[in-house]
Amino acid sequence: MEVSALKKVGPKTERLLNKLEIYSKEDLITYYPYKYNIIKFTNIDEINDENNYYVLSTVISYPKVSYIKKNFNKLDFLANNKDINFKVTIFNRAFLKNNLQPERTIVLVGKYNKLKNIFVANDIRFNIDNETIEPIYHLTEGLKNSNLEKIIIESLKENIQIADYIPKEYKEKYNFINKGEAIKLIHKPQTIEDIKKSKIRLVYEELFTYMFKVNYLKLINKKNLGIKKIYNEEVVSDFLANLSFKLTEDQEKVIKEILKDLTSENRMNRLVLGDVGSGKTVVAITALLANFTSGYQGAFMAPTEILAKQHYESIKNYLSIYDIKIELLTGSLTKKSKEKIYERLENNDIDIIIGTHALLNENNKFYNLGLVITDEQHRFGVNQRNVLQSKGINQKTDVLYLSATPIPRTYALTIYGDLDLSQIKTKPNTRKEIITKTVMEKNIKEVLLKMLDELKLNHQIFVVSPLIEDNDYDISSVTLLKDKLNMAFNNKVKIEILHGKLKQSQKDSLMNDFHKGIIKILISTTVIEVGIDIPNATMMVIFNAERFGLATLHQLRGRIGRSNLQSYCYLVTNVVNNKRLKIMEESNDGFYISEKDFELRGQGDIFGVKQSGDIFFKIADFKRDYKILLQAKNDSEKYLINGVYKGNLLYENIIEKINFLD
Ligand code: ADP
Ligand code: MG
């Protein structure tokens, strides 16, 4: 059922839901909250600290609005709670003025200063009069949490028909509640117990299905024969000998492993895990060259057009002395140029094609594709591997994955159990360690002065800020940040904003301008988290840094320190003693950071913030739910083997499902 057929969903809401990738009723009800607000009312006379509280109050005076400057206003009024009158101040909510009539009951959210008898609210709620647990969803601009909640609750009133992928025997073994009930409870829990029991069941199901696919792919990979290639060893060793740098030991080892795969009669299915900057590109290019000399076409796929273009430039550069036809295929090409490229691919008139993952979806035929390389694999996950391996253009094509998520080996062996692993642990030691520092937001001046220093040296700066995506008002939105920075630098520095909602062509042109040094400060959300290479960018400032997970912080920081210039990363926060930020200050080593990340999050926190940068799950989190993952791994292995022998029906369903997912 499409969302547009639901009550309370008009065309405008439909468009907003689509932005969150919600198209069907099933998408909607499996769009889970990422955290909960536990709303407990506190009396004003009980507040003795600086924490946020919910206070059920009555308005007792008409509010007064003061406009302080452009985009900045203040609203003041008097309120009462349990016979105590106090002043309320809230910023940038002038629009609430007419809702705040005397005698109205409201819930104030914020901090109370007992000495001054002022409540500084960051939110005022009109719709709650009872203590409750409130689900909080990731949102998009224009969609309010309360609206989304209403739409979901409404659609849960009807019968829920949804496939359940946990086999009966495991449901019984673990005493799981049924799926329909779990979905209801996860959106509308009465108690914390409700959240726990629905969540564990949904998490297990997701991880079971994931591990089932991995195990399934592992099984079919074993049977897959590849092409036994004969490549030109002389050309390859010449290429390596003539590089402008000496390969690291790990690079050499991994190149050997790849070359061995190429010549083996088995199909290559290898993942190269190496931290940002460990030099994976040259490894990939060596593979493409060897594959070319064995007489086959090669394809290189990147997650974004920006990265594809960057790879295209460097591949052309590296291979310029050879007579190899290299082309770039991106979505922004005209239909005609695309068709021309398809035609040339089919006629063996292109040797190496570079593009985004659309490369394989567009039904283009190759003359004889021998090797596919996919960069930044951690962004895609098992369904894409399935497409490449079981539906791919040619069942024999060798596949090489690159991933910049350094993760502990045991963990990698589980979640990438269907692949052979190569690791690049050490980085070329040509670069200086990035100096990382946590700064409290109230000391932002220190950061601004440092920015000024770097700008004077004609270096460039990345500024990262989380986009407003839920009801929290203390996040510096990117536009506000731009205004502030323009003020700080007197409008004399070219500052631009890059975010996910821009059109591809706009993103490309911004990146180009940043690359050329026209833009000095690029403010962005996490959209360009990976891979981008701007050697002249020597500084990164991450606002609300405590909101990001370690993996994301590390990926972000990897965008700087890409030359022999000293680079700096400033983590701006309001939170003291944040463990993750401490770890970032301590180390530049991705494998170390990921071990720590694992330790911190392994403890499990049901209200944890969803991390970006990880493989996409609706509710599970590999690291936090690691124990469940291992259980799901064992269970799915057993189930798969039983299924193979017994022709189990549900097993067939899952196989079908993974073949139809993208
Ligand atoms: P990533 O693993 O993040 O994809 P890249 O392949 O983009 O890293 O490499 C980052 C930079 O390091 C590139 O500019 C590349 O030329 C350089 N590089 C790669 N290997 C070495 C090496 N062995 N010695 C010195 N520099 C290297
Ligand atoms: Mg790379």
Side-chain angles (χ1 to χ4, degrees):
M1 183 175 171
E2 308 234 330
V3 274
S4 54
L6 292 168
K7 272 185 221 160
K8 297 190 196 269
V9 180
K12 187 169 159 250
T13 312
E14 186 189 0
R15 242 175 292 129
L16 292 169
L17 291 174
N18 289 172
K19 275 194 187 166
L20 298 172
E21 314 251 306
I22 299 173
Y23 298 96
S24 66
K25 182 177 166 187
E26 177 166 343
D27 295 340
L28 181 72
I29 61 177
T30 57
Y31 193 80
Y32 303 122
Y34 72 95
K35 67 173 185 181
Y36 297 88
N37 276 345
I38 297 177
I39 299 182
K40 266 182 83 67
F41 296 149
T42 304
N43 292 331
I44 203 93
D45 58 0
E46 291 162 2
I47 302 180
N48 287 311
D49 58 26
E50 296 244 316
N51 292 328
N52 271 310
Y53 288 100
Y54 293 86
V55 179
L56 189 67
S57 320
T58 314
V59 180
I60 55 174
S61 77
Y62 283 99
K64 200 181 110 224
V65 177
S66 351
Y67 292 92
I68 299 168
K69 58 184 172 210
K70 197 183 152 213
N71 294 332
F72 198 57
N73 58 62
K74 187 165 85 104
L75 206 147
D76 295 297
F77 60 98
L78 293 176
N80 174 285
N81 165 267
K82 301 271 166 190
D83 298 333
I84 296 179
N85 291 351
F86 53 95
K87 196 178 149 192
V88 180
T89 294
I90 185 163
F91 293 99
N92 281 342
R93 293 306 159 80
F95 58 86
L96 288 181
K97 190 176 172 218
N98 294 331
N99 294 330
L100 293 163
Q101 316 281 329
E103 285 178 41
R104 178 149 195 197
T105 305
I106 56 172
V107 174
L108 295 168
V109 190
K111 299 180 167 86
Y112 176 60
N113 183 323
K114 200 167 198 151
L115 260 168
K116 295 187 183 160
N117 195 29
I118 295 179
F119 194 96
V120 180
N122 53 47
D123 197 11
I124 296 177
R125 308 287 299 267
F126 300 94
N127 49 359
I128 25 177
D129 36 25
N130 279 313
E131 302 193 337
T132 69
I133 298 179
E134 183 182 52
I136 304 293
Y137 301 90
H138 286 290
L139 300 169
T140 182
E141 214 178 301
L143 186 66
K144 285 206 289 205
N145 196 70
S146 53
N147 284 352
L148 181 57
E149 189 187 342
K150 264 188 216 137
I151 296 167
I152 292 176
I153 301 290
E154 186 66 37
S155 69
L156 287 174
K157 283 183 186 153
E158 295 155 39
N159 250 344
I160 298 181
Q161 277 176 346
I162 191 163
D164 178 349
Y165 290 105
I166 307 182
K168 194 160 157 272
E169 57 206 83
Y170 294 122
K171 255 190 299 208
E172 283 167 5
K173 181 176 168 195
Y174 299 120
N175 221 342
F176 283 140
I177 58 174
N178 84 46
K179 190 162 181 182
E181 195 188 341
I183 288 179
K184 280 190 176 151
L185 288 181
I186 201 98
H187 291 292
K188 214 176 162 17
Q190 302 296 324
T191 61
I192 293 190
E193 197 46 45
D194 284 349
I195 301 174
K196 281 188 181 156
K197 69 181 181 202
S198 50
K199 185 157 180 174
I200 191 165
R201 188 244 179 266
L202 296 169
V203 167
Y204 177 86
E205 182 178 10
E206 241 183 340
L207 294 176
F208 181 88
T209 328
Y210 177 87
M211 284 314 306
F212 187 92
K213 293 174 191 174
V214 167
N215 287 322
Y216 167 73
L217 288 176
K218 193 168 160 182
L219 201 80
I220 60 167
N221 287 348
K222 272 195 197 140
K223 296 189 240 157
N224 264 340
L225 281 187
I227 310 161
K228 212 171 149 162
K229 291 176 186 142
I230 303 167
Y231 70 93
N232 189 325
E233 288 184 37
E234 207 182 310
V235 171
V236 173
S237 54
D238 263 9
F239 169 74
L240 295 176
N242 286 314
L243 288 172
S244 60
F245 46 75
K246 193 178 169 326
L247 290 174
T248 63
E249 256 175 55
D250 284 349
Q251 281 173 318
E252 273 181 16
K253 191 187 76 201
V254 172
I255 287 174
K256 260 195 205 130
E257 288 167 339
I258 291 170
L259 293 176
K260 200 167 154 216
D261 284 351
L262 284 177
T263 53
S264 135
E265 65 182 16
N266 290 323
R267 187 176 180 199
M268 165 158 49
N269 251 309
R270 182 170 294 280
L271 171 67
V272 177
L273 273 181
D275 202 354
V276 188
S278 60
K280 293 181 293 295
T281 312
V282 68
V283 171
I285 293 173
T286 312
L288 285 170
L289 177 65
N291 176 67
F292 166 78
T293 65
S294 64
Y296 288 90
Q297 290 174 301
F300 190 110
M301 306 192 297
T304 63
E305 299 217 343
I306 299 173
L307 276 173
K309 192 150 171 265
Q310 198 164 299
H311 279 307
Y312 170 69
E313 300 295 340
S314 65
I315 291 174
K316 258 199 342 195
N317 216 346
Y318 271 101
L319 301 179
S320 59
I321 61 159
Y322 305 94
D323 186 16
I324 304 181
K325 293 186 211 95
I326 306 171
E327 289 297 335
L328 176 69
L329 178 65
T330 62
S332 43
L333 289 183
T334 60
K335 197 165 165 237
K336 211 165 161 201
S337 342
K338 275 191 202 164
E339 273 161 9
K340 181 81 197 148
I341 289 187
Y342 298 150
E343 199 187 304
R344 289 178 57 203
L345 280 173
E346 202 169 345
N347 295 333
N348 202 19
D349 190 35
I350 293 177
D351 302 312
I352 295 176
I353 184 84
I354 294 133
T356 63
H357 290 78
L359 256 186
L360 291 192
N361 299 341
E362 299 193 12
N363 281 332
N364 41 5
K365 296 191 190 69
F366 287 80
Y367 175 76
N368 67 354
L369 185 62
L371 172 68
V372 177
I373 302 182
T374 148
D375 197 14
E376 313 294 354
Q377 160 63 23
H378 61 282
R379 291 210 153 186
F380 301 96
V382 69
N383 292 330
Q384 190 230 21
R385 303 212 289 276
N386 184 48
V387 171
L388 281 175
Q389 279 146 261
S390 51
K391 290 214 307 197
I393 326 102
N394 175 337
Q395 296 268 336
K396 292 186 166 171
T397 306
D398 283 324
V399 192
L400 180 66
Y401 303 92
L402 311 177
S403 173
T405 330
I407 50 176
R409 192 174 168 83
T410 46
Y411 172 55
L413 286 173
T414 310
I415 67 171
Y416 298 119
D418 52 318
L419 305 174
D420 293 319
L421 271 192
S422 293
Q423 269 177 298
I424 308 185
K425 281 194 180 160
T426 48
K427 287 189 205 177
N429 55 5
T430 50
R431 275 174 248 152
K432 300 197 173 75
E433 292 253 304
I434 298 166
I435 296 174
T436 302
K437 205 171 164 194
T438 302
V439 177
M440 300 305 286
E441 192 164 1
K442 61 178 198 277
N443 302 327
I444 191 73
K445 201 163 168 199
E446 177 188 343
V447 180
L448 293 172
L449 288 173
K450 183 71 197 167
M451 287 172 85
L452 196 61
D453 285 348
E454 290 301 307
L455 290 169
K456 278 184 189 156
L457 292 167
N458 212 10
H459 296 160
Q460 289 160 279
I461 303 172
F462 281 108
V463 171
V464 181
S465 158
L467 246 194
I468 294 184
E469 56 173 356
D470 54 39
N471 288 351
D472 299 345
Y473 291 98
D474 52 356
I475 301 182
S476 347
S477 85
V478 276
T479 22
L480 204 64
L481 203 57
K482 184 179 170 186
D483 291 346
K484 285 184 188 167
L485 291 175
N486 269 326
M487 202 149 77
F489 298 117
N490 244 334
N491 292 314
K492 287 203 171 117
V493 177
K494 180 131 173 92
I495 305 175
E496 291 295 344
I497 298 176
L498 182 78
H499 60 79
K501 286 180 195 138
L502 294 176
K503 281 198 215 114
Q504 189 58 47
S505 55
Q506 291 172 308
K507 287 190 215 166
D508 285 349
S509 101
L510 282 173
M511 275 323 289
N512 263 334
D513 285 356
F514 194 54
H515 213 264
K516 286 190 206 143
I518 298 169
I519 296 171
K520 298 296 175 196
I521 301 179
L522 187 70
I523 305 178
S524 78
T525 57
T526 52
V527 279
I528 46 162
E529 200 180 297
V530 288
I532 295 298
D533 204 6
I534 315 269
N536 191 46
T538 53
M539 184 169 177
M540 174 172 285
V541 184
I542 305 179
F543 282 86
N544 297 97
E546 78 287 346
R547 293 197 168 243
F548 295 106
L550 268 176
T552 307
L553 287 172
H554 179 68
Q555 291 282 342
L556 286 170
R557 183 173 59 181
R559 285 195 237 153
I560 56 169
R562 295 191 149 247
S563 67
N564 51 9
L565 300 169
Q566 179 62 57
S567 290
Y568 305 88
C569 177
Y570 281 80
L571 306 168
V572 181
T573 182
N574 286 313
V575 180
V576 278
N577 285 330
N578 182 292
K579 278 193 191 136
R580 276 175 286 157
L581 303 188
K582 281 235 164 71
I583 292 165
M584 290 297 293
E585 288 183 315
E586 242 167 66
S587 173
N588 272 278
D589 175 352
F591 284 97
Y592 171 83
I593 290 171
S594 81
E595 296 271 357
K596 289 285 165 187
D597 187 24
F598 215 72
E599 279 169 27
L600 284 182
R601 308 210 303 147
Q603 295 158 1
D605 166 13
I606 60 164
F607 301 113
V609 175
K610 192 173 160 58
Q611 273 208 274
S612 55
D614 264 355
I615 295 166
F616 182 73
F617 274 114
K618 285 181 182 236
I619 194 164
D621 176 319
F622 276 142
K623 294 170 203 166
R624 185 196 60 210
D625 303 319
Y626 189 57
K627 280 196 186 130
I628 307 176
L629 176 72
L630 289 182
Q631 194 64 48
K633 172 178 181 271
N634 292 337
D635 291 349
S636 63
E637 249 161 25
K638 262 190 227 143
Y639 194 71
L640 180 58
I641 290 171
N642 280 338
V644 170
Y645 294 114
K646 291 182 193 153
N648 198 310
L649 200 69
L650 181 74
Y651 157 82
E652 299 284 341
N653 278 343
I654 296 184
I655 299 284
E656 232 172 63
K657 179 102 179 160
I658 68 176
N659 280 322
F660 281 106
L661 285 170
D662 63 307

